[in-house]
Amino acid sequence: MRLGVIANRLVLVDKDQKDHKNNKGTAVDLEQASKGRFPADPERVFDSWDALVEWAASYTWDDEQERLPLDGLQNPVPAPRQVYGIGANYRDHLEEAGRAQGHQGDIPAPGTPLIFTKFRTSLTGPYDAVPLPTRNVDWEVELVVVIGRHAERVAEKDAWSHVAGLTVGQDISERVIQLEGIAPQFSMGKSFPGFGPMGPVLVTPDEFEDPDDLEIGCSLGGQVMQTGRTGDLLFSVPQLIAYISGVTPLLPGDVIFTGTPAGVGLFREPPVFLQPGDTLVTWVTGIGELSNPVTAGPGYPAADDQDGDK
Ligand code: ZN
């Protein structure tokens, strides 16, 4: 099942359409197509998740139902109760960070996942603007996991059955706020408004040949900046769910940003950061892509302000 949100209403997205480039494909309004059985409100979708998945599998795409174009897709999970982010979860990203900090030789992998939150006011949709507060804002393509079933002390082998679906995310990050101070402040540096684009659709795990090995990437102004495979995650989706749910119960609709591979702007020589006028395109094969225009946000320094780098 491929689920989206258009005009703040849940929509079922045409199953044949794997590639959302050029906004091909169509959708139908979920409440109308199900003759009122399922709600239009995206915040209520997890109340009857199993029944919805079953109904969608047998839905026949006839011509009677009005088709909606996909260019109006919004964040498919606009109001999760909890949002988790994972740092340092790809070896190549860990190594680029280590090199930039002058480490020689092997960088030790973390023994446990590095967890932070993106406060939920940072979440936005697949085509929304990213307003820059400073000149130190960076990109991070990530696979995003959405929980479908209450998960408390879940074993790795049972983890996937607690997942509603997968979507594409950008963990936009203000690097100065993230890293300055007596201890890093990941949650603050990654939570300005517009710093969490998600979408374009939520895809159930059964739609993938191997949900543990998906191709991800992002480009800036047409230049590919990051590519990776989720098969290279240091902590896999089941390991993350087992670890997190051993501390905090995961609730239906909760979101996990699973980490980013190498190629962020901070560790380039010289560093590259987002600028007004850029377009950031972010994809996961089998889900679709985000296309977010970058703008000057409140407080962004004027062009002639050389000290405006903080
Ligand atoms: Zn990240």
Side-chain angles (χ1 to χ4, degrees), residues 85-88 93 116 118 139-142 170-173 175 178 186 190 257-260 264:
I86 315 298
H93 179 54
F116 57 91
K118 288 178 81 72
W139 56 85
E140 295 191 352
V141 55
E142 309 208 356
Q170 255 295 343
D171 179 18
I172 305 283
S173 304
R175 298 301 190 192
Q178 178 188 343
F186 279 41
K190 293 164 175 279
F257 282 70
T258 55
T260 202
V264 300

